[in-house]
């Protein structure tokens, strides 16, 4: 991951010293074999992930997944492979490519493709449709009041783009027989029994079988996602009348009506605003004379982390010359830096700045430097520097936090140098160009297995943790910049992107700032300097 610039730099700085004494593989830098470019005709997007060693292709609906023409393919310098990439590739199953670099290092890459096809059935009384593409069947749920013998269809799509539904076969109550007819929307059909729909795509016909089921709905609320000053409510109504929500404080009796809802079929979504923080409410769904059961929820508390102003610092430690981003007697400090591991090799890369600041007593100054000729990125993070053992640094990322903020705001001033270190040869394209700073924020929840530990970071695994794939991460955001601030602080705001439908409460907050975001691969500019100050979470 881009944000762990400081981890690997510490480790290889130490391991360089080890190589002077021990004759082992650690005397060689690790050169990762990478797929640097890949493209095929008919793609929507391609994501190349160095951390997971994967290439993920999303295809257009009409692409021929078994016969894709390759338009671009390349691997990193000083990398070999036995795999021969032809003009065409079959991605109906994942393709493995083994890359090798000196001395004897192997990297197993996987190229895979997905081809999402939008399917829908637009009919009267629709609640939801469950598609089974493999067996070409669909289960269509309609409200209990919808007569199955007269379902009105406004439209339907069962195949890729350009496909057509040319006929339907099913029971006809009038003739008391099975009848096949052409399809032209809108149309009314008898769906008492399962119906077949024939799809034509590129000259080939195939059949889908649709089964219709009535389902009773009693104005049920399906999900409630409370924030600090608003709540997003989703429910289902019986299809009769005009639905709306009612809400109240649980300490009060009077209900407030909320009509600004979005209705899609029987799905009713409302974003109720103007609520008070840290307050318990009840909400219910109403349509006509039907009043659904009430559901209670509590709005969020707009919490902040201690030390977000970077005003408290302590100089000392075991070697007597280490800067710590917290007060000397702080019983539970929330911030740390790699100074603990590298201050004995070089000067601290993370220090207080008392003159160039936005507010308060101090700001934080992060400066990339060399540790025994190895590159070390200046950085700061929430959590704890745990240990340095067997030439590996371990850190616990994250501090206790249970709120759901909208964004992280603050100020930074960045002075990038021109990249002059690429010790692993992973980013030669960056050499000679301005360095890049990063500020990231993530919220982490309890794991499915009950794991409540902090994010454990091991410097022997470059690119970890991966915030985009780790299931414990419920929200993430970052900014990257190679622009010189010219000595002036710039205000920033990083909106947190929450996983869709994820209502979990976080247990940890992670914030990382780095003057050289590719420092985990020992790439950056000696002298790149990032000042940060006055961080705060915002709430909506």
């Amino acid at each position: 991951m881009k944000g762990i610039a400081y981890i690997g730099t510490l480790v290889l700085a130490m391991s360089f010293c080890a190589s002077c004494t021990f004759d082992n593989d650690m005397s060689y830098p690790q050169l990762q074999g990478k797929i640097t470019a890949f493209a095929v005709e008919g793609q929507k997007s391609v994501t190349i992930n160095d951390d997971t060693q994967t290439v993920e292709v999303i295809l257009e609906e009409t692409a021929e997944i078994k016969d894709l023409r390759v338009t671009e393919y390349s691997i990193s310098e000083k990398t070999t492979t036995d795999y021969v990439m032809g003009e065409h590739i079959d991605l109906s199953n994942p393709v493995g490519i083994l890359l090798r670099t000196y001395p004897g290092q192997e990297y197993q890459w996987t190229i895979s493709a997905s081809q999402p096809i939008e399917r829908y059935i637009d009919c009267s009384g629709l609640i939801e449709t469950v598609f089974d593409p493999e067996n070409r069947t669909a289960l269509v749920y309609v409200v209990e009041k919808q007569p199955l013998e007269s379902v009105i269809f406004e439209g339907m799509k069962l195949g890729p783009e350009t496909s057509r539904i040319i006929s339907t076969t099913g029971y006809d109550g009038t003739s008391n027989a099975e009848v096949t007819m052409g399809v032209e929307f809108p149309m009314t059909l008898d769906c008492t029994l399962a119906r077949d729909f024939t799809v034509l795509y590129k000259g080939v016909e195939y059949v889908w079988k649709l089964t219709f089921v009535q389902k009773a709905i009693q104005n049920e609320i399906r999900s409630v996602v409370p924030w600090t000053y608003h709540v997003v409510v989703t429910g289902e109504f019986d299809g009769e009348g005009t639905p709306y929500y009612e809400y109240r404080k649980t300490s009060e009796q009077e209900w407030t009506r909320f009509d600004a809802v979005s209705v899609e079929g029987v799905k009713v979504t409302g974003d109720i605003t103007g609520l008070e923080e840290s307050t318990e409410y009840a909400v219910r769904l109403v349509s006509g004379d039907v009043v659904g059961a009430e559901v209670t929820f509590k709005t969020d508390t707009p919490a902040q982390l201690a030390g977000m102003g970077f005003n408290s610092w302590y100089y000392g430690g075991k070697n007597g010359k280490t800067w710590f981003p917290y007060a000397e007697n702080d019983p539970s400090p929330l911030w740390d830096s790699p100074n603990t591991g590298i201050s004995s090799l070089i000067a601290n890369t993370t220090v207080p700045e008392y003159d160039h600041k936005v507010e308060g007593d101090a700001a934080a100054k992060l400066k990339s430097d060399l540790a025994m000729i190895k590159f070390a990125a200046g950085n700061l993070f929430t959590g704890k520097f745990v240990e340095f053992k067997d030439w590996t640094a371990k850190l616990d990322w994250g501090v206790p936090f249970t709120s759901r903020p909208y964004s992280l705001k603050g100020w930074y001033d960045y002075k990038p140098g021109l990249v002059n270190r690429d010790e692993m040869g992973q980013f030669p394209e960056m050499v000679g160009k301005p360095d890049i700073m990063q500020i990231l924020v993530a919220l982490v929840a309890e794991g499915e297995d009950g794991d409540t530990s902090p994010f454990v970071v091991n410097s022997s695994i470059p690119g970890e943790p991966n915030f985009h794939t780790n299931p414990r991460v419920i929200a993430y955001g970052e900014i990257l910049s190679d622009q010189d601030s010219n000595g002036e602080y710039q205000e920033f705001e990083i909106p947190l992107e929450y996983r869709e439908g994820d209502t979990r409460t976080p247990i940890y907050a992670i914030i990382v700032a780095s003057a050289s975001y590719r420092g985990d691969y020992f790439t950056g500019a000696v002298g790149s300097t990032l000042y940060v100050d006055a961080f705060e979470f915002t709430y909506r």
Side-chain angles (χ1 to χ4, degrees):
M1 190 67 195
K2 302 170 185 174
I4 54 174
Y6 51 84
I7 309 171
T9 55
L10 169 59
V11 142
L12 283 192
M14 297 295 195
S15 59
F16 170 76
C17 300
S19 68
C20 300
T21 306
F22 302 103
D23 184 16
N24 56 27
D25 287 344
M26 291 191 70
S27 58
Y28 300 99
Q30 187 179 32
L31 180 64
Q32 183 185 11
K34 300 189 297 182
I35 295 177
T36 54
F38 184 80
V40 294
E41 281 190 350
Q43 69 184 38
K44 281 186 175 180
S45 65
V46 172
T47 302
I48 300 176
N49 192 317
D50 297 340
D51 302 331
T52 58
Q53 295 171 189
T54 57
V55 180
E56 298 178 353
V57 184
I58 299 178
L59 297 171
E60 300 282 357
E61 292 189 2
T62 55
E64 295 291 347
I65 192 170
K66 292 186 177 182
D67 187 24
L68 298 165
R69 192 173 78 85
V70 179
T71 59
E72 187 177 12
Y73 170 69
S74 63
I75 60 177
S76 53
E77 296 180 1
K78 301 179 182 178
T79 302
T80 61
T81 179
D82 295 332
Y83 183 85
V84 178
M85 181 66 69
E87 292 184 5
H88 294 260
I89 188 172
D90 180 354
L91 289 180
S92 57
N93 291 302
V95 173
I97 299 179
L98 182 64
L99 303 182
R100 301 184 182 89
T101 60
Y102 182 82
Q105 298 167 13
E106 296 184 339
Y107 299 87
Q108 182 64 55
W109 280 73
T110 302
I111 302 177
S112 61
S114 60
Q115 193 171 26
I117 295 177
E118 180 190 15
R119 296 182 174 91
Y120 65 83
I121 296 171
D122 183 3
C123 68
S124 55
L126 179 68
I127 298 175
E128 65 174 334
T129 304
V130 180
F131 292 100
D132 180 358
E134 183 175 352
N135 296 304
R136 295 193 181 120
T137 62
L139 193 59
V140 185
Y141 291 97
V142 295
V143 295
E144 193 173 33
K145 296 179 180 180
Q146 170 60 54
L148 293 184
E149 62 270 17
S150 57
V151 178
I152 302 172
F153 291 85
E154 299 291 341
M156 184 182 303
K157 182 174 178 290
L158 300 175
E161 293 176 5
T162 73
S163 65
R164 292 188 301 114
I165 299 172
I166 58 175
S167 66
T168 179
T169 301
Y171 173 78
D172 178 43
T174 302
S175 61
N176 205 26
E178 192 171 80
V179 176
T180 298
M181 67 183 74
V183 172
E184 185 176 349
F185 300 111
M187 63 188 305
T188 301
L189 295 172
D190 189 329
C191 298
T192 306
L193 301 178
R195 294 195 68 91
D196 289 345
F197 288 83
T198 300
V199 180
L200 177 65
Y201 178 62
K202 292 185 177 181
V204 179
E205 295 182 4
Y206 54 90
V207 176
W208 275 74
K209 184 176 291 294
L210 275 55
T211 302
F212 292 77
V213 179
Q214 291 172 315
K215 182 179 180 181
I217 296 179
Q218 298 295 324
N219 287 6
E220 301 175 12
I221 290 179
R222 296 299 187 183
S223 71
V224 177
V225 183
W227 297 88
T228 308
Y229 305 110
H230 72 112
V231 63
V232 178
V233 186
T234 303
E236 294 177 347
F237 79 119
D238 61 4
E240 295 291 323
T242 301
Y244 58 91
Y245 285 107
E246 291 183 334
Y247 67 96
R248 63 178 175 86
K249 294 180 182 179
T250 56
S251 60
E252 301 175 353
Q253 297 300 316
E254 184 177 352
W255 292 89
T256 298
R257 178 165 170 157
F258 182 80
D259 287 294
V261 298
S262 172
V263 181
E264 183 180 349
V266 296
K267 180 181 177 182
V268 184
T269 303
D271 189 350
I272 303 173
T273 59
L275 305 183
E276 297 179 11
E277 64 187 55
S278 309
T279 303
E280 186 175 75
Y281 287 86
V283 63
R284 65 189 184 187
L285 178 58
V286 182
S287 66
D289 296 329
V290 181
V291 179
E294 63 183 68
V295 175
T296 60
F297 65 92
K298 186 175 182 179
T299 52
D300 202 2
T301 300
Q304 303 290 339
L305 292 175
M308 296 178 81
F310 310 114
N311 294 313
S312 298
W313 295 79
Y314 159 56
Y315 188 72
K318 292 182 179 180
N319 62 8
K321 55 180 182 179
T322 301
W323 275 110
F324 299 93
Y326 50 84
E328 180 176 4
N329 298 318
D330 192 334
S332 55
L334 302 184
W335 298 84
D336 212 340
S337 78
N339 287 349
T340 303
I342 64 177
S343 62
S344 60
L345 299 176
I346 61 172
N348 298 270
T349 59
T350 301
V351 299
E353 172 57 48
Y354 294 107
D355 296 323
H356 187 50
K357 60 189 179 181
V358 175
E359 62 183 29
D361 297 327
K365 178 182 178 182
L366 322 176
K367 184 177 181 180
S368 298
D369 209 335
L370 291 179
M372 299 294 289
I373 81 166
K374 291 295 180 181
F375 185 73
N379 55 84
L380 184 73
F381 59 93
T382 55
K384 182 179 181 182
F385 188 98
V386 179
E387 67 175 356
F388 180 75
K389 183 179 180 181
D390 296 331
W391 313 116
T392 297
K394 293 183 180 180
L395 309 102
D396 283 348
W397 267 6
V399 292
F401 190 76
T402 57
S403 293
R404 291 169 61 94
Y406 170 75
S407 70
L408 174 70
K409 292 182 67 174
W411 297 79
Y412 75 86
D413 174 15
Y414 187 45
K415 180 69 175 180
L418 298 180
V419 174
N420 55 8
R421 310 292 295 193
D422 183 31
E423 297 170 15
M424 296 176 67
Q426 296 296 295
F427 301 98
E429 70 279 4
M430 292 182 63
V431 176
K433 296 180 180 178
D435 206 351
I436 301 173
M437 73 83 171
Q438 181 190 46
I439 302 173
L440 71 84
V441 55
L443 300 178
V444 180
E446 179 180 332
E448 291 184 359
D449 56 356
D451 182 12
T452 59
S453 62
F455 245 53
V456 178
V457 180
N458 188 321
S459 64
S460 65
I461 310 175
E464 288 294 334
N466 190 320
F467 291 103
H468 300 289
T469 60
N470 192 294
R472 290 186 60 191
V473 176
I474 64 174
Y476 179 77
E478 69 174 350
I479 58 170
L480 301 169
S481 178
D482 63 356
Q483 299 298 304
D484 192 329
S485 301
N486 297 313
E488 299 290 335
Y489 272 98
Q490 312 291 317
E491 187 174 18
F492 72 85
E493 181 172 14
I494 305 174
L496 276 156
E497 183 177 345
Y498 286 80
R499 291 186 189 273
E500 186 175 356
D502 197 330
T503 61
R504 291 178 294 173
T505 299
I507 59 174
Y508 291 105
I510 297 172
I511 302 175
V512 179
S514 176
S516 302
Y517 94 116
R518 282 301 190 187
D520 51 342
Y521 292 96
F522 311 102
T523 298
V526 175
S528 289
T529 304
L530 174 65
Y531 298 89
V532 292
D533 198 8
F535 283 9
E536 67 170 327
F537 285 123
T538 70
Y539 292 84
R540 291 187 179 181

